[in-house]
Amino acid sequence: MNHSADLPHNPDASPGALDADIVRALDEAQRPADVDVDAAMAARVRSRVMGRIAAEATQGHVTIAADQPSWRDFLPGIACKVLHTSGDTMSYLLRFAPGAVLPAHHHPVDEECVVLQGELRIGANLTVAQGGFHMARAGVPHDAITSDAGCVIYLRGARPRLEHQL
């Protein structure tokens, strides 16, 4: 049985094009029904759907517990806990024992630092207290870092390498 004979044909249409009445019928089928949806209800439904999507996506996130024993010796008096690496970029924690020193160095990319506990001293003139932020710009020499009483800092930047030392 050939149904194409039952459909109106447009001789001016390009091969494979749909006839105007078919396009019109498809457009009408996609229009929403004339239903008055309460905005608050729509927001609740959206929130529930997005919440379920987010809950299922949580498996793809990275979580490291504070008590996870993954601290490694980095330099004398300084321990490192790697949180994430991606190529040459790394997010990590450094824990300074009182008086420990990170030698002067440079960064191939900008490095961000947040002091989580204690107080950090960069060179002789700059102190960054708990909650403080410091950005070391790429290529700019960075004076030695120390902490008189000890500290924990979060860093995000290039993976540390010996060739970065000055």
Side-chain angles (χ1 to χ4, degrees):
M1 179 175 206
N2 185 354
H3 290 289
S4 62
D6 299 335
L7 297 174
H9 178 67
N10 180 354
D12 298 327
S14 62
L18 296 174
D19 291 329
D21 59 334
I22 295 174
V23 171
R24 193 171 29 260
L26 289 171
D27 284 343
E28 288 173 11
Q30 294 180 50
R31 286 193 192 120
D34 291 335
V35 176
D36 187 20
V37 177
D38 179 299
M41 180 191 308
R44 283 192 309 271
V45 169
R46 182 182 189 286
S47 177
R48 289 182 67 188
V49 168
M50 296 307 290
R52 286 184 182 170
I53 290 170
E56 290 177 15
T58 300
Q59 301 171 41
H61 296 289
V62 174
T63 302
I64 298 173
D67 61 352
Q68 184 172 337
S70 56
W71 289 94
R72 306 241 188 266
D73 289 338
F74 182 67
L75 290 171
I78 302 175
C80 178
K81 183 176 190 176
V82 176
L83 305 172
H84 179 71
T85 58
S86 178
D88 276 345
T89 301
M90 194 161 95
S91 298
Y92 56 106
L93 301 174
L94 288 183
R95 182 174 55 204
F96 284 67
V101 177
L102 181 63
H105 55 281
H106 74 278
H107 301 280
V109 299
D110 287 352
E111 180 180 82
E112 299 177 0
C113 170
V114 177
V115 178
L116 302 176
Q117 294 174 353
E119 193 173 84
L120 182 73
R121 194 172 64 247
I122 302 169
N125 300 320
L126 178 62
T127 299
V128 185
Q130 182 172 320
F133 172 82
H134 174 75
M135 181 182 294
R137 294 290 185 184
V140 178
H142 198 296
D143 208 346
I145 300 171
T146 190
S147 179
D148 295 332
C151 68
V152 176
I153 61 174
Y154 166 81
L155 296 161
R156 178 166 166 65
R159 184 185 307 246
R161 300 192 187 285
L162 285 176
E163 62 263 19
H164 297 159
Q165 286 188 357
L166 298 179

